[in-house]
Amino acid sequence: MPAQARAAWALHLGAMWGLRTDPARVEALAAKVKAVSDARTVRFQALGFIRPNGKENSSAVKRRVAVAYGASGLCPKCGGTGRAPSLKSGNPVSCGPRNFLGEATCDGTGLDLSTALALPRTDKGAVSADRDTLTESGDDVLIDYGDNEIEKIRETHVPFLRQGTEVPITLRPNVLVASGRTSYDGLIQLLPRGGGVRECFVARPGFVFCSVDYVGLELCTLAQVCLDILGESTLAEEINAGLDLHSVLAASFTGVSYETFLENLKGSDAKKWKGYRQAAKALNFGAPGGMGAQKLVLAKRCEGLRFCVVLEGAECGREKITEWKGRVTAPLCKRCVELAEDLRTCWFTQRPEMKRYFAHVSRITDIEGDIEQLRSGRIRGGCGFCDGANTYFQGLAADGAKHALWKVSEECHTDPTSPLWGTHPVVFAHDEIIAETPEATAHLAGLRMAEVMIAAMREFVPDVRISAEPCLMKNWYKDAEPVYKDGKLIPWEKTDGI
């Protein structure tokens, strides 16, 4: 409880300081998303998804969804017309989703939906067309249609950003969610990675943003957890040796030495080898939480990564499956799943301790599901296998990061001799602290903030090397990197527009 209270106070101090936004950038963003939104509407009107009056043609969307999930043949109730006589009036009405006998029908699609076992349905039996259904359909058109990020930016983020052009946007933090992490009411932790939204946040005159981000924190905490529970960790050995974990796995998968793999990353065929590393990174971050091959393919597809493309240069989706290992699944590229399975096998070979770790988690979650977090003693109850596998290392990272936030905030507000004096941590993003700091001393503040964060995390992760990198920026950029001039940390600047 004291640890959570300290973290809550630190979050509150940052919330009171608030964030400002740049009026010119906000209005430029508003104009940009309006243009993209208008073009998107024209495109989907041409496909029949949106009627001329701007309303959705749900029948057209559902039919495409049904086809994507494997529906074929004509509906035996309506003969493929999508309409059947009403029992009351005799006039043609939409067929379904159920007839008067309670039998499932085609829901106006005209297709035999019994052929699509993986087709998601609503509680009333209708064909689902929610965002998850569209995103998981494997149909690029439906995936694009389900991606309403532009509309969300236009309708939600832009009004939110406009508030900050007049007064500071004050946040409402929540110190504890089930995973042990923090959250915020509102949008600040839900900002899209791209699209120019976060870049609208600007430091006040005389200040810059200072971001310090732990490097691969949850892999470090996973290594520490394995050391604590199992007494061994190949992951810890590799981290402490300074190896690039993603290249280690990719080298093993491709059958070359680690040194050769690093050389290939810089060679004439670097793009191919970077693809291998990208696929390995997906496994390193997804597999420890118990993700199977199909879940990995689905999760990474939503992020734009296709295993068959990056590993073989193939055309994704030539052969799709809706069942894997006896379980119904969303439509997936068969080759992507096979490659993900191969990568998981390689990962288990590279990380032999993980089978023992998963067995430990299974024993606990099969009995009661209450897991006591290492170091903090915080208890998370009601865990299933995946929650349990995740919570050991994710919770350790969360507890350590909150302690780091407290130590940074304490120095910012109570030590006039510290380079952090006058600095305000304004956003706490799990393994990253973003602060607004006086520009004149920002080069020292950034380095000191990293030192404090590393020292605080070592109290929770004593046996695995912890790294954290500071960078400075006038606007909030997710891709900002440390920049030094004459040995001095200086603000990073974007060179290709906002």
Side-chain angles (χ1 to χ4, degrees):
M1 182 64 73
Q4 301 300 330
R6 287 194 296 266
W9 177 241
L11 287 166
H12 179 65
L13 291 173
M16 288 196 303
W17 181 255
L19 290 158
R20 298 304 303 259
T21 53
D22 183 329
R25 285 176 179 257
V26 172
E27 295 312 313
L29 174 66
K32 174 184 172 182
V33 297
K34 182 181 183 304
V36 174
S37 175
D38 291 346
R40 183 178 185 274
T41 298
V42 170
R43 177 192 176 195
F44 289 113
Q45 280 180 333
L47 289 167
F49 289 3
I50 299 177
R51 301 182 190 278
N53 63 4
K55 294 184 178 181
E56 181 181 76
N57 182 355
S58 60
S59 295
V61 176
K62 288 179 179 180
R63 181 179 176 86
R64 184 136 187 166
V65 167
V67 171
Y69 281 86
S72 61
L74 301 180
C75 170
K77 306 297 181 183
C78 68
T81 64
R83 300 179 70 78
S86 167
L87 291 178
K88 292 182 179 180
S89 66
N91 295 324
V93 295
S94 178
C95 181
R98 296 188 185 278
N99 63 18
F100 71 99
L101 297 176
E103 299 169 330
T105 52
C106 72
D107 195 18
T109 64
L111 300 170
D112 183 358
L113 301 187
S114 67
T115 61
L117 298 180
L119 180 64
R121 302 283 195 125
T122 67
D123 292 340
K124 295 183 178 181
V127 174
S128 175
D130 62 17
R131 184 175 183 180
D132 287 344
T133 298
L134 300 178
T135 301
E136 297 172 5
S137 67
D139 182 319
D140 288 340
V141 171
L142 290 175
I143 291 171
D144 288 347
Y145 186 66
D147 181 7
N148 62 351
E149 186 170 280
I150 285 295
E151 299 304 322
K152 185 172 182 180
I153 292 174
R154 182 179 181 182
E155 297 174 4
T156 306
H157 287 100
V158 169
F160 171 70
L161 294 170
R162 280 179 174 143
Q163 297 174 36
T165 65
E166 299 177 358
V167 295
I169 296 173
T170 52
L171 308 176
R172 293 179 294 169
N174 171 21
V175 73
L176 186 62
V177 297
S179 65
R181 290 176 162 185
T182 61
S183 67
Y184 288 89
D185 290 341
L187 301 170
I188 202 67
Q189 281 186 328
L190 302 173
L191 301 179
R193 187 177 183 91
V197 173
R198 64 182 75 226
E199 292 88 344
C200 289
F201 290 99
V202 62
R204 293 165 172 83
F207 287 78
V208 293
F209 286 132
C210 175
S211 166
V212 180
D213 196 358
Y214 288 111
V215 179
L217 179 59
E218 290 191 355
L219 291 175
C220 296
T221 54
L222 174 62
Q224 184 65 58
V225 165
C226 288
L227 288 174
D228 289 342
I229 295 176
L230 308 174
E232 64 174 344
S233 172
T234 59
L235 196 57
E237 294 171 4
E238 292 169 10
I239 293 172
N240 290 339
L243 303 183
D244 173 28
L245 302 177
H246 310 318
S247 293
V248 169
L249 179 59
S252 176
F253 182 74
T254 54
V256 301
S257 70
Y258 174 71
E259 292 74 20
T260 299
F261 188 87
L262 293 183
E263 291 176 5
N264 291 342
L265 285 176
K266 301 175 183 178
S268 58
D269 206 12
K271 183 178 180 181
K272 179 179 76 173
W273 295 93
K274 287 179 179 178
Y276 295 149
R277 185 183 180 279
Q278 186 183 17
K281 182 178 180 180
L283 263 292
N284 276 333
F285 285 120
M291 273 192 182
Q294 69 270 34
K295 288 289 186 183
L296 278 164
V297 170
L298 188 57
K300 295 304 160 184
R301 186 176 71 187
C302 295
E303 298 173 11
L305 187 152
R306 314 274 179 134
F307 286 104
C308 68
V309 174
V310 299
L311 294 176
E312 296 183 337
E315 180 183 342
C316 189
R318 284 188 176 181
E319 183 179 357
K320 291 185 179 181
I321 58 172
T322 55
E323 183 180 327
W324 182 252
K325 293 186 174 180
R327 293 185 178 182
V328 174
T329 181
L332 296 172
C333 168
K334 182 180 180 181
R335 189 58 187 148
C336 277
V337 179
E338 291 172 343
L339 288 169
E341 199 71 75
D342 291 344
L343 274 168
R344 286 185 80 248
T345 300
C346 182
W347 181 78
F348 276 114
T349 302
Q350 193 73 31
R351 304 271 172 261
E353 69 270 26
M354 289 308 297
K355 287 188 177 181
R356 291 177 58 205
Y357 173 69
F358 286 152
H360 171 84
V361 172
S362 291
R363 283 194 299 271
I364 294 177
T365 55
D366 286 347
I367 296 171
E368 58 182 8
D370 289 354
I371 290 181
E372 181 176 336
Q373 298 292 163
L374 303 177
R375 306 287 185 275
S376 71
R378 180 174 52 80
I379 294 175
R380 180 177 182 182
C383 291
F385 174 75
C386 288
D387 287 341
N390 271 303
T391 203
Y392 270 116
F393 60 88
Q394 190 179 83
L396 183 61
D399 291 332
K402 287 181 187 178
H403 181 56
L405 174 66
W406 166 253
K407 299 300 279 187
V408 168
S409 297
E410 184 179 40
E411 201 161 305
C412 289
H413 294 285
T414 67
D415 187 357
T417 66
S418 170
L420 289 173
W421 179 253
T423 295
H424 299 268
V426 288
V427 176
F428 181 58
H430 306 314
D431 54 0
E432 177 186 17
I433 298 176
I434 300 171
E436 202 168 337
T437 189
E439 189 168 8
T441 55
H443 59 296
L444 299 173
L447 298 175
R448 178 57 185 162
M449 198 159 122
E451 289 175 358
V452 173
M453 288 174 63
I454 290 171
M457 188 58 69
R458 281 179 180 154
E459 297 181 42
F460 289 76
V461 187
D463 304 312
V464 182
R465 188 171 74 174
I466 295 295
S467 303
E469 295 180 338
C471 68
L472 306 177
M473 50 196 167
K474 289 294 290 184
N475 294 83
W476 181 4
Y477 286 95
K478 188 67 176 176
D479 54 352
E481 297 178 353
V483 178
Y484 291 87
K485 183 177 181 180
D486 300 326
K488 180 179 177 181
L489 186 66
I490 63 172
W492 178 91
E493 295 181 1
K494 193 170 183 67
T495 57
D496 55 348
I498 68 169

